[in-house]
Amino acid sequence: MEHDRWVGLDLRHLLALKAIADEGSFGRAADRLGYTQSAISQQIASLERIVGLRLLERPGGPRPVTLTEAGRILLRHAEAIEARLLAAKADMAALEAGDAGRVRVGTFQSVGAKIIPELLRQFAASHPGVEVVLTESQDEDELLAMVERGDLDLTFWTLPLVGGPYEAVELLRDPYVLVVPADSPLARLERPPTLREITLHPLVGFNQCRAMAHVDRQLAAAGRTPNYVFRSDNNGTVQGLVGAGVGISLSPRLTVDEDDPSVAIIDLQGRLEPRVIGLVWHADRHFSPAARAFVESAVAVCSELAEAPAAA
Amino acid sequence: MEHDRWVGLDLRHLLALKAIADEGSFGRAADRLGYTQSAISQQIASLERIVGLRLLERPGGPRPVTLTEAGRILLRHAEAIEARLLAAKADMAALEAGDAGRVRVGTFQSVGAKIIPELLRQFAASHPGVEVVLTESQDEDELLAMVERGDLDLTFWTLPLVGGPYEAVELLRDPYVLVVPADSPLARLERPPTLREITLHPLVGFNQCRAMAHVDRQLAAAGRTPNYVFRSDNNGTVQGLVGAGVGISLSPRLTVDEDDPSVAIIDLQGRLEPRVIGLVWHADRHFSPAARAFVESAVAVCSELAEAPAAA
DNA sequence: GGTTTCCATCATGGAACATGATCGTTGGGT
DNA sequence: ACCCAACGATCATGTTCCATGATGGAAACC
């Protein structure tokens, strides 16, 4: 391959293109990047000279700059390169911080209660040199954003995966159960109640939680509109409210306390699709041995959990 | 995100890292890239200053330079970025050449005979503005290399796909048939002959062809060693040799001339896995509307072909 | 037609870079 | 033990490239 003009290409060129595409103006792009308008103008001129094609359409006057066909195509590559560069930066930062023996993992409440303790116990025993840093959040999307930024190496996640530069592994399927007051007539049925029977009762649920959205989506698809009388972010609160007779609750099995005598737990036997819990990581980032080991441990622990789902 | 020292990163830095990793020496890397050793040394120093980590282990003396852990990780990102950059370059070159209405497609003989004519006819009729440039090669790997370099937009390919930055779509499954002389006793059997019965006869086959390798692999897996008495690159030659009684042939159905009275064609009815023909393209490159249309036409034509496989 | 909002262009000062020479280090050959 | 070859780091230097600030020209809005 010839040593052509492409070696003169600079990252600033690509960042400038992206900034202009976002802002629609050389001047605003310059402000955002901390350059002068003249500098941006020259950078783009240089970039166009390198690729040999006009990348931006300057209509003149106060009208916004638009991308040409070539500009759009190049911009997609530029964004991919920038993303890869950010991944590299995150990897270097992790290495600089001495992360060879550290895994930063994102969790959320319903996974924290049952999976994490056993997983950490086994992982610590089998990998004593690895430090695990947990970050718990109410908002799964925030966890994913942290993975994207490189602030986390892994995060638990309710599958399926949304689009993005991610890879995932499925850990376990967690079926939904119906939690009712211990003296509820629903608890004495021979068969699991139908969705219709369930939605006739007032419901207690969670806030802003992907598992709950999953339930609501399925109810809506079945033509049922749930009647929520209370929402909380805390599993114990939800279960306490059910025990107190405020309502009933559709909860993932892993989130319920099966030893609570004030409630009865009813297997829905497939009336609702189970939620699928997995681990997600950034596809472009370096997969450290410590992270790999953590994923393997998680898979092992969860397959144990799945085989003995209702251990007292 | 802060405007940190990473904006000073230059592609030459990454290319230098890659060159050193390949060559094991600053000096040879400098030669390859057309710089002086001093320049390379300073580039690496600058790169290490940017990332804040030592990337190369210099043992001193004539021993080769090796990558550190950080260097290895960064190198993988650098290679991904370089690959993406090459894809961008290919896209720009294609655009510069006025490829908006052009598709460059790689083919090989066995696909050229039956699929291509009907496909081109239909495609030309439905997309009159698009020019199709065909490149035929005996060697499928060469076609794939051309896709990788950006010399082709699409290529036919015998699936499964090997590793690499490719995407593919399956077009059709082409079963193998046994081609025997018209007066062969094999042609009078009630059932298709077994692999054992086949390999007792001398075989005529193709040279360096993935479809043939596919057959040999399956025969080997079944513990049969084929006895090739002749190989040719030309379908007509192979079939002519069979007709002349030189041997029998295992050929994909699409490659045989069913009107040849000197041979009989025997359906193997699943004794061999069919070869799968698909279209492959570069995952990172821009997918032009013309290329997309070509893929769609190919899928349509091939599904017609699959439904009427033995049209006289 | 004046005004505003753009981008392109120009000359200039400064930073970054490649060069060529030199030095320190290491390992192998004699 | 010695010398030599191979190698990377460093230094001073000349050049190239880039960002700056000011100016000019084009298009739309009032």
Side-chain angles (χ1 to χ4, degrees):
Chain A
M1 169 193 355
E2 39 166 345
H3 275 174
D4 49 9
R5 47 200 194 205
W6 280 74
V7 298
L9 198 144
D10 201 321
L11 294 173
R12 281 164 298 170
H13 296 322
L14 300 179
L15 290 179
L17 180 66
K18 186 162 133 65
I20 294 173
D22 289 346
E23 301 285 346
S25 143
F26 281 42
R28 278 189 296 277
D31 283 346
R32 184 212 273 200
L33 298 176
Y35 291 123
T36 14
Q37 172 264 325
S38 174
I40 296 295
S41 185
Q42 289 183 70
Q43 282 181 7
I44 293 299
S46 165
L47 181 59
E48 287 180 331
R49 192 158 29 80
I50 287 174
V51 306
L53 290 169
R54 172 155 284 244
L55 299 171
L56 295 164
E57 211 57 66
R58 296 90 152 166
R63 283 171 299 183
V65 175
T66 57
L67 290 166
T68 64
E69 172 76 7
R72 276 191 296 274
I73 294 173
L74 186 60
L75 178 61
R76 287 190 38 198
H77 290 297
E79 284 170 342
I81 288 172
E82 189 195 356
R84 191 79 198 207
L85 219 51
L86 287 177
K89 197 171 154 185
D91 279 348
M92 295 297 109
L95 231 62
E96 198 168 4
D99 274 10
R102 205 167 82 194
V103 191
R104 298 162 302 170
V105 183
T107 69
F108 41 90
Q109 202 178 13
S110 56
V111 99
K114 298 275 173 77
I115 301 178
I116 290 287
E118 176 64 12
L119 172 54
L120 287 191
R121 202 184 58 75
Q122 285 202 205
F123 185 73
S126 56
H127 299 84
V130 180
E131 175 190 3
V132 178
V133 181
L134 288 180
T135 300
E136 183 167 324
S137 167
Q138 308 286 355
D139 183 1
E140 286 190 53
D141 294 303
E142 187 188 324
L143 292 173
L144 205 61
M146 291 179 74
V147 170
E148 161 117 53
R149 286 198 305 270
D151 293 337
L152 290 176
D153 301 312
L154 302 167
T155 186
F156 286 90
W157 179 257
T158 306
L159 300 176
L161 201 45
V162 297
Y166 305 111
E167 286 179 3
V169 65
E170 176 178 329
L171 291 177
L172 55 78
R173 293 169 176 270
D174 184 22
Y176 286 94
V177 295
L178 186 64
V179 187
V180 300
D183 57 358
S184 165
L186 285 171
R188 286 191 298 275
L189 291 176
E190 294 291 320
R191 47 163 184 81
T194 65
L195 295 187
R196 178 169 174 278
E197 289 168 333
I198 291 168
T199 47
L200 289 176
H201 292 74
L203 283 171
V204 182
F206 298 93
N207 271 327
Q208 49 166 212
C209 156
R210 277 174 58 85
M212 219 66 243
H214 188 208
V215 166
D216 290 345
R217 219 175 307 121
Q218 291 189 63
L219 290 177
R224 303 292 162 205
T225 47
N227 170 32
Y228 285 106
V229 294
F230 202 85
R231 286 179 184 269
S232 164
D233 280 329
N234 183 281
N235 298 328
T237 304
V238 169
Q239 196 155 343
L241 289 169
V242 171
V246 174
I248 65 179
S249 158
L250 283 166
S251 301
R253 180 188 290 277
L254 282 182
T255 66
V256 305
D257 173 8
E258 318 214 2
D259 298 329
D260 182 348
S262 71
V263 301
I265 293 162
I266 304 171
D267 188 346
L268 286 176
Q269 296 176 7
R271 287 240 151 88
L272 285 178
E273 282 288 306
R275 67 171 181 160
V276 183
I277 294 178
L279 271 173
V280 177
W281 57 92
H282 197 302
D284 287 346
R285 288 209 42 213
H286 174 60
F287 211 68
S288 74
R292 197 177 300 272
F294 189 89
V295 170
E296 282 167 14
S297 288
V299 169
V301 166
C302 287
S303 75
E304 280 177 25
L305 265 179
E307 281 169 20
Chain B
M1 169 193 353
E2 40 167 341
H3 277 174
D4 49 9
R5 45 196 194 203
W6 279 74
V7 297
L9 197 142
D10 201 319
L11 294 174
R12 282 166 298 173
H13 297 320
L14 300 179
L15 290 180
L17 180 66
K18 187 161 134 62
I20 294 174
D22 289 345
E23 301 286 346
S25 142
F26 280 43
R28 278 189 296 275
D31 283 346
R32 182 210 276 199
L33 299 176
Y35 291 123
T36 41
Q37 172 264 325
S38 173
I40 297 294
S41 185
Q42 288 181 71
Q43 282 181 7
I44 293 298
S46 165
L47 182 58
E48 287 180 331
R49 193 157 28 82
I50 286 173
V51 306
L53 290 169
R54 173 155 283 244
L55 299 172
L56 295 164
E57 211 58 66
R58 296 90 152 165
R63 283 171 297 183
V65 175
T66 57
L67 290 165
T68 64
E69 170 78 8
R72 275 190 296 274
I73 295 173
L74 187 61
L75 179 61
R76 287 190 39 196
H77 290 297
E79 285 170 341
I81 288 172
E82 190 195 356
R84 192 79 199 205
L85 219 52
L86 287 178
K89 198 173 154 185
D91 278 349
M92 295 298 108
L95 231 64
E96 197 168 4
D99 274 11
R102 204 168 85 195
V103 192
R104 297 163 303 171
V105 183
T107 69
F108 41 92
Q109 203 179 11
S110 58
V111 97
K114 298 278 174 76
I115 301 178
I116 291 285
E118 176 64 13
L119 172 55
L120 287 191
R121 203 185 57 75
Q122 283 201 207
F123 185 72
S126 56
H127 298 84
V130 180
E131 175 191 3
V132 178
V133 180
L134 287 181
T135 301
E136 183 167 324
S137 168
Q138 308 287 354
D139 184 0
E140 286 193 50
D141 294 302
E142 188 188 323
L143 292 173
L144 203 62
M146 291 180 73
V147 169
E148 160 116 54
R149 287 198 304 270
D151 293 338
L152 289 176
D153 301 313
L154 302 167
T155 186
F156 286 90
W157 179 256
T158 306
L159 301 176
L161 202 46
V162 297
Y166 306 111
E167 285 178 3
V169 65
E170 176 179 328
L171 290 177
L172 56 77
R173 294 168 176 269
D174 184 22
Y176 285 94
V177 294
L178 185 65
V179 186
V180 299
D183 57 357
S184 165
L186 285 171
R188 287 188 297 273
L189 290 177
E190 295 291 321
R191 45 160 186 83
T194 64
L195 295 187
R196 178 169 174 277
E197 288 168 334
I198 291 168
T199 47
L200 289 177
H201 291 74
L203 284 171
V204 182
F206 297 93
N207 271 327
Q208 48 167 211
C209 156
R210 277 174 57 85
M212 220 65 242
H214 188 210
V215 167
D216 291 345
R217 219 176 307 121
Q218 290 189 64
L219 290 178
R224 303 292 162 205
T225 47
N227 170 32
Y228 285 106
V229 293
F230 203 87
R231 286 179 185 270
S232 164
D233 280 330
N234 183 280
N235 298 328
T237 303
V238 168
Q239 195 156 343
L241 289 169
V242 171
V246 174
I248 65 177
S249 158
L250 283 166
S251 301
R253 180 188 290 278
L254 282 182
T255 67
V256 304
D257 173 9
E258 317 213 1
D259 298 328
D260 182 348
S262 70
V263 300
I265 293 161
I266 303 172
D267 189 346
L268 286 176
Q269 296 178 9
R271 288 242 151 88
L272 284 178
E273 282 288 307
R275 67 171 181 160
V276 182
I277 294 179
L279 271 174
V280 177
W281 58 90
H282 197 302
D284 287 346
R285 290 213 38 214
H286 173 60
F287 211 66
S288 74
R292 196 177 301 273
F294 189 88
V295 171
E296 282 168 14
S297 288
V299 169
V301 167
C302 287
S303 76
E304 282 177 23
L305 265 179
E307 282 168 21

